[in-house]
Every structure is written in C-alpha cells, then in structure tokens.
Amino acid sequence: MREQCKVRGHLCLLVVEHGAPPPDQLSLYEDWVRPPIVQEDLQARVRQLAARAVLKSKPVLDPAGILYFKDSSVTLSLTQCEMLAPLVARYGQIIYRTELREILEHSGSSSSSNALDLHVMRLRRRLQVVGLAVRNVWGRGFVLEPL
C-alpha cells in the first residue's frame, strides 16, 4: 500500500509497531507514528502532511539558488534567482517588466528590453526541467505557472 500511495502522490501515515525500526527513507508525503496514538497527535500529523503537500504544489526558491517544484529541482544563477524571486513570491500573478528590469539594473546587468528578454529566455529553458513556464503577458510582464 505504501508503494501505491507513493506512485499516486497520496499522503501516507505509517503506523510502526513497537520494537520495529522506524522507516529509513520517507518521502515528502509520508510520516510515521507508533501506537497507541492520541487523537490530537494523529490530527496534528495529518495536518502537517497536508501542509507539506500544499507546499509541494508551489515552487520554492531556497537561499542556495535551488528552485524546488513538485518532485524536481534545478540550480539557478544569482541573476536568475533575483529575477525569479518575485515570480515565485507572487506565483500565478503578473510581474511587470519594469520590476524585472530594475532587478537587472541593481545586479549590474544591462537592463535594456533586449537584455531582459534574453534573461527570460534563459530562465524559461532552466525552468522547463521542473515543469514550470514563464508566460509572457503582452505589453505588461510575465507570469510563472506550471507547464
């Protein structure tokens, strides 16, 4: 059953008998307890699992320059991280071209329209690996969304 849950991406709370070793490798969707289980503890574990699953549905950019989305990750350059930060923070919303141009300007890169388009093109290529796309909103800016 554990393998079926893993394949389907379902949450899985493992009940481990006393004396049995705890599971070695847990996925993001798994947790474990030992019986007897107090109802409040069980509910807290289930809530924690559900919160992890929600986090997994949105991209997360860590300080080391790694973007996580679902079960994938990709390493990004410093400039790509700086450009991606507002797109991740406002996932699914428009980020205006002027905001991204200001980021390029502060990073010391050229902030021309062509330079921005080149950086976005490179970012798009990197994000395909994790199943994300930067969609152009004509005349306004960009939106980060799943492929």
Side-chain angles (χ1 to χ4, degrees), residues 13-108:
L13 185 63
L14 305 168
V15 180
V16 179
E17 293 181 20
H18 286 286
D24 284 339
Q25 303 235 342
L26 292 174
S27 78
L28 185 72
Y29 300 110
E30 295 178 317
D31 201 352
W32 65 278
V33 295
R34 291 194 191 274
I37 306 166
V38 178
Q39 184 68 25
E40 292 148 354
D41 291 349
L42 178 64
Q43 290 172 351
R45 293 287 180 116
V46 169
R47 279 194 306 273
Q48 184 62 31
L49 275 171
R52 281 191 233 156
V54 167
L55 277 177
K56 200 67 171 167
S57 66
K58 293 183 179 181
V60 175
L61 183 60
D62 80 359
I66 301 172
L67 177 73
Y68 298 94
F69 183 62
K70 298 193 177 177
D71 291 326
S72 301
S73 64
V74 65
T75 305
L76 303 168
S77 72
L78 180 59
T79 302
Q80 289 171 336
C81 287
E82 290 172 347
M83 287 182 59
L84 193 58
L87 289 160
V88 168
R90 299 193 311 259
Y91 183 62
Q93 299 175 14
I94 294 176
I95 305 302
Y96 293 97
R97 290 181 67 88
T98 54
E99 185 174 346
L100 294 179
R101 286 178 75 176
E102 287 174 11
I103 290 169
L104 287 176
E105 193 174 290
H106 290 318
S107 72

Side-chain angles (χ1 to χ4, degrees), residues 113-140:
S113 185
N114 287 343
L116 175 60
D117 291 337
L118 179 64
H119 282 287
V120 169
M121 179 191 71
R122 290 177 179 158
L123 190 57
R124 283 180 172 138
R125 287 182 190 157
R126 298 291 295 157
L127 296 179
Q128 283 180 343
V129 174
V130 294
L132 288 171
V134 177
R135 184 173 54 86
N136 189 26
V137 180
W138 192 80
R140 298 174 109 194

